Amino acid sequence: MSEQLAGRTDRVSIGDLLEGLGRAALGLGLMIPALLALIPLPGPFGIVLGAMIAVIAIQVMTGQTRLRLPRYLAARTIPPAPVAVAIRRFAAPLRWAERFSTPRRWLPLTGRVARVALAAPLLLMALALALPIPLGNGLPAIALTVFAVGFMERDGAAILVALGLSLVALAWTAALIFFGAEMLDWILMAIR
């Protein structure tokens, strides 16, 4: 696909890109903000990335198998050269993920009914990403990345691993909140 885009001179719409990705667009839509969340960025980026993932989780909850964008966003166009560069950059992580997953393994865990049930952990991971907690983004982002691989490859084992990582991420987030509250309480008592 990157070769096709590199040869084009006209602009490419985001909707056309998603249509070209087909069913993989949903997984890739999860993977991109999850990978970005692994980068320690200052400011409200966690909230923005968490909101993006929450929108995708709601689409999963409604049974969507493809990523849907609002019409005004799908119609937006971008030059083909940056798209080709982005596809080449994401090709290596996708090949790595494909090496560790087995397509169509344990299919009942990747079917439409299972995906609707998986929307709850996706929403919880999106919420954990959105919380402004230092060191709080890593584990939810990793769990979301594994969910994305499971969705793209239709690998039920990856979904099980992602569910386990989600539990660990929720426990880690709860511990960070608890210890942060305890530390704040201790600081406030020391000031008095």
Side-chain angles (χ1 to χ4, degrees), residues 156-172:
I159 297 295
L160 285 177
V161 170
L163 286 169
L165 287 170
S166 296
L167 291 173
V168 172
L170 288 174
W172 174 251

Side-chain angles (χ1 to χ4, degrees), residues 127-143:
L127 177 63
L129 272 181
L131 293 173
I133 303 172
L135 306 174
N137 284 359
L139 287 173
I142 291 169

